[in-house]
Amino acid sequence: MPEAEPSPPAPESFRCDFCGEEVRSVRRVALDADYERLRTPHRERYACPTCSERKERVRQGLDRG
């Protein structure tokens, strides 16, 4: 049985699709109660922790954005 090829190294940083900053991690919320983004056609966007928290507050009506 041939050996599997090694996976490419993980990137050291990612770019937030909302603020454009380079960060060590990004998030994407796809499902939560009535919020569904798995089957809904859209462009996937990933947020840094700060933008993700801001988006979550706006989505829950706690902040106007």
Side-chain angles (χ1 to χ4, degrees), residues 42-56:
H42 70 289
R43 183 179 139 239
E44 292 179 5
R45 297 175 70 192
Y46 294 85
C48 67
T50 301
C51 289
S52 182
E53 289 171 20
R54 185 178 309 119
K55 284 176 48 59
E56 186 67 14

Side-chain angles (χ1 to χ4, degrees), residues 25-53:
S25 67
V26 290
R27 301 176 187 168
R28 176 178 176 246
V29 174
L31 286 175
D32 185 24
D34 294 333
Y35 188 85
E36 186 279 314
R37 293 297 181 266
L38 293 178
R39 292 178 290 184
T40 305
H42 70 289
R43 183 179 139 239
E44 292 179 5
R45 297 175 70 192
Y46 294 85
C48 67
T50 301
C51 289
S52 182
E53 289 171 20

Side-chain angles (χ1 to χ4, degrees), residues 5-16:
E5 295 203 18
S7 299
E12 292 183 23
S13 66
F14 300 91
R15 185 166 304 279
C16 175

